[in-house]
Amino acid sequence: MPALRWVLLAGLFATPTVLAGCGGGHGSLVIGVRPGRPGLADVSPSGGYAGFEIEVAGYVARRLGYRDDQVRYVTAPGSPPADLAMGEPLPVDAPGPPSVAGPYLVSGQDILAGAGDMTVRRLRDLTQKRVCTASPAPLVARFGAAWQRAFLTVSTAEDCARRLASGRVHAVTGDAAVLAGLAARSPEAVRLVGRTFSREGYGIAVARDDLRAGVDDALRAMFDDGAWRRAVIRHLGSLAAKYPVPPALRTYPGPRSAP
């Protein structure tokens, strides 16, 4: 992963909060989340956070020994710094960094198009289309810098969906789970094409080395007891069939968490 990402991670985790031991006790756990991604992480009507990633984060926190009232969610990256950060990208076909546990989900980039626009059916149909995305790298790798300058807008997934609904762009690309959530909000205006073209894992970045094994143990327990699968069905809806089994965890030698 580029060196810049690890510089940013170092800033995110600077001066981490004091963590409680595995028995709960005193202290709190600060978890960074990236909202604005329906299905994965978004602001709930009550003002908190909701989604698949939030359910995974809550499960991990409880397995680490924290009560729900000891867990605080913050927007990442930001202030205060986080002990754990959800949604950190992990490569699917290459080793990931030891400071990121998981993955807890392997998803793919997909396409959102206008509900009545049948000219967008696959990735190659975007060669002459105005496209909006929060993840430009796969598109630039496929179509090149000249196409990027002429056709690509980079923004948040939600803003891209608004641009699509208003006709300012022809298509949106992004994580399939996020696009499915956006399509469910406005089925009369947009549709999920359902043709993934890039795969990426999501992990949990940890502020301290001794947290890594504990987070992996918590994810393994969530996979084994069926809670992960129930969370997939509850939050990813029509995409649940794409994720029938949990992803394989990356393992690294290192210190084990306290019992």
Side-chain angles (χ1 to χ4, degrees):
M1 208 167 282
L4 178 59
R5 174 175 294 281
W6 300 113
V7 172
L8 293 174
L9 270 179
L12 170 64
F13 290 135
T15 62
T17 57
V18 177
L19 300 184
C22 285
H26 303 292
S28 62
L29 185 71
V30 178
I31 300 179
V33 298
R34 295 165 175 79
R37 298 175 299 146
L40 293 180
D42 205 2
V43 178
S44 69
S46 64
Y49 294 110
F52 174 75
E53 285 186 345
I54 307 306
E55 190 157 344
V56 172
Y59 187 103
V60 168
R62 289 188 290 274
R63 292 287 298 196
L64 290 176
Y66 292 89
R67 302 186 309 269
D68 289 348
D69 62 358
Q70 292 178 300
V71 178
R72 187 154 55 104
Y73 294 97
V74 298
T75 300
S79 179
D83 303 307
L84 307 177
M86 307 298 295
E88 187 63 27
L90 272 177
V92 174
D93 301 318
S99 58
V100 182
Y104 54 82
L105 185 69
V106 172
S107 188
Q109 295 281 305
D110 209 320
I111 305 168
L112 203 65
D117 183 1
M118 295 298 110
T119 66
V120 178
R121 297 178 180 271
R122 56 187 64 81
L123 182 61
R124 68 186 182 206
D125 294 337
L126 303 183
T127 54
Q128 298 294 315
K129 303 288 188 181
R130 296 190 306 275
V131 180
C132 186
T133 186
S135 304
L139 296 174
V140 176
R142 175 68 178 262
F143 299 126
W147 177 88
Q148 178 185 14
R149 290 190 294 271
F151 293 103
L152 191 64
T153 299
V154 178
S155 189
T156 65
E158 290 186 312
D159 181 60
C160 285
R162 287 191 289 268
R163 290 171 182 263
L164 176 62
S166 65
R168 287 178 285 171
V169 298
H170 298 112
V172 173
T173 68
D175 185 279
V178 174
L179 298 187
L182 293 170
R185 287 181 175 181
S186 306
E188 73 290 344
V190 299
R191 64 180 178 87
L192 182 67
V193 172
R195 298 290 293 269
T196 56
F197 59 87
S198 175
R199 296 175 71 237
E200 186 172 58
Y202 290 117
I204 303 176
V206 298
R208 292 192 342 220
D209 290 343
D210 62 338
L211 282 175
R212 166 62 198 266
V215 172
D216 270 341
D217 288 345
L219 290 175
R220 190 173 294 106
M222 189 178 192
F223 295 171
D224 291 345
D225 68 11
W228 181 90
R229 179 61 181 163
R230 292 191 293 273
V232 165
I233 293 170
R234 187 157 41 245
H235 295 289
L236 302 186
S238 61
L239 289 183
K242 289 182 175 288
Y243 311 109
V245 296
L249 293 175
R250 305 294 177 86
T251 57
Y252 298 89
R256 300 292 293 173
S257 59

